[in-house]
Amino acid sequence: MRKPIIAANWKMNKTVQEGKSFSTLLPADTSLYQEVEVVICPPFTALQAVGEELKGKGIKLGGQNLYPMEKGAFTGEVSPLMLQDLGCTYVILGHSERRHLLGEKDEFINQKVKAAFAFDLLPILCLGETLEQRQKGATEEVCHQQLQGSLKDIEAQDVAQMVIAYEPVWAIGTGVHARPADAEKTIACLRQVISKEWGEEIGAAVRIQYGGSVKPENIREFMSCANIDGALVGGASLKADSFYQIVRGAREGSE
Ligand code: PGA
C-alpha cells in the first residue's frame, strides 16, 4: 500500500510574510497529515520561515530546484547541502517550466537527481509531454525517454524512495486537467517501465503523482485511479483553504 502524497509547488510566488501566513492558516490536522504525506515547496527565500512555521505540524518541506554541486562559484544557484541545512526532505527536479523555459535536459536533471540523493533529499521528478507530442501520439515514448534519461544509473533502492510527478505540459496552469483515465494509463505505463528496469518490487513501491490543474473539485477522481498516488499542485496550492481541501480530498479519493 503506497501512502498518498500531495505536494505544493508555489513556484515564484509568496514573500516571507505571505508564506508564513499560509502556514498559520493551514489547519494543524496531524492525523490527516499522517495518512496523506504533505510537502510544501516554497521559493528558496521563504524556505526557512515557512519551515519554522510548519514545525510540529507533520508537514514536510521541499526545494523547487538545486544545482548539482555542494558549493562553489555558481552565482545565483542553490546547493543540495543548503536545502538539507534548511530541513528539506524533498526537492522538485525537472519541472516543465525548467525544461521548457530554461532549457534543462535529461542529462543535467540526472546530475541533479544524483546530487539530491547524495544529500539525503528525495527528488520529486517531473516529466510529461507537450500538446504537440500528445497530438502526434508520442506521449508514452516522450515520458519513457525523460524517465530513463533523468534516472540513468540510479540505484533501485533510491528509485523506490523517490516520487515521480507525471505532468502533461498542456495541463499545467491552464485550468484544463488531463482526463483521469488518460493520466492513469500513462502512469501505469511509467510504472511498468520502472518494473522492467529496476524490478517488480520497485515498480510497485514508487509513488507517482499526477500534476496539472489539480483542484479540490477533481482530486478525488485522480486519487481513485489505481496507479495515481497523489498530486503536485501549483495554482491551487497558493491558498491554504483550497490546498487543505485537496489534501482532504486525496484521503477520501484513495479510500
Ligand atoms: P498547476 O501547476 O497546478 O497550476 O497546473 C502544477 C505544476 O506546475 O506543478
Side-chain angles (χ1 to χ4, degrees):
M1 185 63 188
R2 297 181 296 266
K3 187 176 193 171
I5 176 163
I6 301 291
N9 176 10
W10 286 356
K11 309 190 180 184
M12 199 173 73
N13 292 292
K14 294 198 190 293
T15 60
V16 168
Q17 208 44 53
E18 287 164 348
K20 278 165 89 168
S21 67
F22 173 101
S23 313
T24 316
L25 288 170
L26 194 67
D29 195 342
T30 35
S31 67
L32 174 62
Y33 309 142
Q34 261 163 21
E35 286 175 63
V36 178
E37 191 172 349
V38 177
V39 187
I40 310 269
C41 304
F44 293 136
T45 46
L47 266 172
Q48 184 169 20
V50 170
E52 267 159 32
E53 210 65 48
L54 291 175
K55 260 191 199 136
K57 278 196 174 173
I59 291 175
K60 309 222 167 97
L61 198 62
Q64 293 179 18
N65 183 35
L66 58 72
Y67 190 79
M69 294 296 276
E70 180 180 332
K71 60 181 175 181
F74 304 100
T75 303
E77 297 294 333
V78 168
S79 84
L81 174 66
M82 294 165 182
L83 295 180
Q84 187 192 50
D85 187 41
L86 290 179
C88 289
T89 307
Y90 287 93
V91 59
I92 297 173
L93 296 176
H95 190 277
S96 86
E97 284 143 22
R98 299 207 63 88
R99 288 179 188 265
H100 298 286
L101 299 174
L102 298 157
E104 286 192 11
K105 300 273 177 287
D106 290 331
E107 205 185 336
F108 188 42
I109 296 164
N110 181 236
Q111 290 174 26
K112 295 185 182 205
V113 170
K114 289 176 181 163
F117 281 121
F119 288 87
D120 294 325
L121 297 165
L122 298 173
I124 299 177
L125 173 70
C126 305
L127 47 85
E129 83 286 0
T130 62
L131 187 57
E132 202 191 345
Q133 290 164 334
R134 181 167 200 87
Q135 284 164 345
K136 277 199 232 146
T139 297
E140 281 163 23
E141 186 192 325
V142 167
C143 292
H144 293 181
Q145 268 174 11
Q146 290 177 346
L147 182 83
Q148 272 162 332
S150 311
L151 295 187
K152 192 168 176 283
D153 301 326
I154 302 298
E155 304 282 343
Q157 73 266 21
D158 287 340
V159 177
Q161 297 293 317
M162 67 181 291
V163 175
I164 316 267
Y166 166 59
E167 299 202 298
V169 178
W170 48 270
I172 297 176
T174 58
V176 181
H177 60 82
R179 286 185 10 222
D182 290 343
E184 165 69 8
K185 189 166 161 261
T186 307
I187 289 177
C189 281
L190 285 170
R191 204 176 284 292
Q192 270 174 15
V193 174
I194 294 169
S195 297
K196 254 199 215 144
E197 187 90 21
W198 289 278
E200 288 288 332
E201 220 178 285
I202 309 301
V206 65
R207 289 181 297 173
I208 311 184
Q209 298 173 314
Y210 164 77
S213 300
V214 168
K215 298 182 199 75
E217 297 78 40
N218 59 33
I219 185 67
R220 283 173 193 75
E221 208 184 331
F222 283 109
M223 293 306 292
S224 65
C225 298
N227 283 286
I228 302 183
D229 304 313
L232 181 56
V233 189
S237 76
L238 293 173
K239 291 221 165 70
D241 178 51
S242 69
F243 186 64
Y244 180 62
Q245 284 182 47
I246 289 173
V247 179
R248 286 180 56 143
R251 175 171 63 185
E252 284 163 29
S254 60
E255 271 166 8

